[in-house]
């Protein structure tokens, strides 16, 4: 195991960090400009969940058609703009978000190159695996939010009416903010296994505690799923809550593996099985 690299003064590291941040900003801006230029394709992706022929709705229709006449009703929801410069501002914000998302692998790579000299060889190897796993889980949560949770939420809330005299007029800003919020929230939720491992490493969480409160966690998961997707059918509720429950069970497995490795007298016991 090699020693940490402590060469260079504080100002040298600060100068190196500045160069890395400049590179990251340039790459993110470049991707953002590309996304801004391809406006039609960009908003074709963004507005896809509001269309009745979206892949999620078609899939649920096929599944629901096996048992009944289908799950999703026909709907047509238009978006409105209420401010003069709002469409242009949202165009820029959306392009910037896509630029950050596309540049995220490069951003993580550059940041890791900056901190890796301060890590031991074993620490560097495990840090790559942990950060990579966390990044993958975050992207998986974002995709679930985009393809499942947001479409179902938008379909229900966008077409819900307290009376036929009241017409829904969904603003562009409301649509975009809800989409970003749900996708980011699901990305954070999918970090549960990684967070559970960190708490287990710190001795703040154990598998027996998670198993003992498994029934309570199911109730909490169902409540969260009902809040995220307040639809009237049981299938949608289960479709949202099932991945969250799988995350909880995966967290129990990871915490158990961490406890087993910590109990072994091996030097490698400081790392859990799931990243070994």
């Amino acid at each position: 195991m090699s020693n940490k690299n402590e060469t260079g003064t504080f100002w040298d590291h600060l100068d190196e960090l500045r160069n890395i941040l400049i590179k990251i900003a340039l790459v993110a801006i470049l991707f953002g400009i590309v996304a801004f230029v391809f406006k039609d394709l960009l908003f074709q992706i963004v507005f896809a969940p509001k269309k009745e022929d979206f892949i999620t709705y078609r899939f649920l229709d096929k599944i629901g058609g096996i048992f009944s006449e289908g799950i999703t009703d026909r709907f047509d929801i238009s978006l409105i703009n209420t401010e003069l410069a709002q469409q242009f501002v949202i165009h820029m914000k959306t392009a910037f978000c896509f630029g950050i998302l596309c540049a995220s692998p490069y951003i993580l790579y550059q940041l890791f190159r900056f901190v890796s000299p301060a890590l031991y060889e074993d620490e560097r190897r495990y840090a790559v695996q942990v950060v990579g796993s966390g990044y993958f889980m975050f992207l998986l949560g974002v995709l679930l939010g985009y393809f499942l949770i947001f479409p179902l939420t938008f379909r229900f809330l966008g077409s819900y009416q307290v009376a036929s005299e009241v017409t829904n007029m969904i603003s562009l800003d409301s649509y975009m903010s809800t989409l970003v919020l749900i996708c980011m929230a699901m990305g954070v939720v999918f970090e549960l296994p990684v967070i559970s491992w960190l708490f287990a490493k710190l001795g703040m969480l154990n598998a027996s505690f998670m198993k003992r409160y498994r029934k309570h966690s199911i109730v909490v998961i169902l409540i969260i799923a009902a809040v995220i997707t307040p639809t009237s059918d049981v299938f949608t509720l289960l479709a949202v809550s099932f991945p969250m429950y799988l995350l909880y069970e995966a967290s129990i497995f990871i915490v158990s593996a961490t406890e087993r490795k910590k109990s072994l007298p091996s030097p490698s016991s400081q790392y859990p099985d799931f990243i070994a």
Side-chain angles (χ1 to χ4, degrees), residues 190-250:
F190 266 62
E191 295 298 321
L192 178 61
V194 179
I195 295 175
S196 298
W197 169 75
L198 290 176
F199 283 166
K201 272 299 280 172
L202 296 174
M204 302 171 59
L205 185 65
N206 55 70
S208 61
F209 174 84
M210 300 182 70
K211 292 177 181 178
R212 185 166 63 251
Y213 288 95
R214 179 184 276 119
K215 295 181 179 180
H216 300 77
S217 68
I218 294 176
V219 176
V220 173
I221 288 173
L222 290 175
I223 293 175
I224 295 176
V227 171
I228 295 177
T229 57
T231 56
S232 57
D233 57 275
V234 178
F235 178 82
T236 301
L237 181 65
L238 295 178
V240 176
S241 58
F242 183 68
M244 299 174 66
Y245 176 73
L246 289 181
L247 287 175
Y248 188 82
E249 291 295 333

Side-chain angles (χ1 to χ4, degrees), residues 54-220:
F54 187 55
I55 182 173
T56 301
Y57 304 139
R58 290 189 279 112
F59 174 76
L60 294 179
D61 267 333
K62 291 181 180 180
I63 298 298
I66 299 176
F67 307 99
S68 61
E69 295 180 356
I71 293 179
T72 59
D73 299 325
R74 296 301 176 185
F75 67 99
D76 184 16
I77 303 175
S78 299
L79 302 179
I80 64 171
N81 178 54
T82 58
E83 298 180 14
L84 180 62
Q86 190 175 55
Q87 293 199 56
F88 179 75
V89 172
I90 288 180
H91 183 190
M92 292 190 63
K93 289 181 179 180
T94 307
F96 176 75
C97 290
F98 267 79
I100 294 293
L101 183 62
C102 294
S104 55
Y106 179 79
I107 294 174
L108 290 178
Y109 169 73
Q110 287 293 339
L111 293 178
F112 179 77
R113 284 186 66 246
F114 177 73
V115 301
S116 60
L119 302 175
Y120 291 111
E121 183 178 349
D122 290 343
E123 293 174 337
R124 190 180 303 119
R125 177 165 58 91
Y126 287 111
V128 170
Q129 296 178 353
V130 171
V131 173
S133 300
Y135 178 70
F136 172 78
M137 293 301 295
F138 180 81
L139 291 182
L140 193 61
V142 170
L143 291 176
L144 182 68
Y146 174 80
F147 282 104
L148 180 63
I149 296 180
F150 176 75
L152 298 179
T153 302
F154 178 78
R155 177 182 66 87
F156 175 80
L157 297 179
S159 59
Y160 183 83
Q161 291 178 290
V162 295
S164 59
E165 292 83 2
V166 182
T167 302
N168 287 330
M169 300 181 67
I170 312 300
S171 68
L172 175 62
D173 182 65
S174 176
Y175 178 91
M176 295 298 300
S177 60
T178 305
L179 173 62
V180 173
L181 177 62
I182 289 180
C183 289
M184 293 298 103
M186 289 308 300
V188 174
V189 168
F190 266 62
E191 295 298 321
L192 178 61
V194 179
I195 295 175
S196 298
W197 169 75
L198 290 176
F199 283 166
K201 272 299 280 172
L202 296 174
M204 302 171 59
L205 185 65
N206 55 70
S208 61
F209 174 84
M210 300 182 70
K211 292 177 181 178
R212 185 166 63 251
Y213 288 95
R214 179 184 276 119
K215 295 181 179 180
H216 300 77
S217 68
I218 294 176
V219 176
V220 173

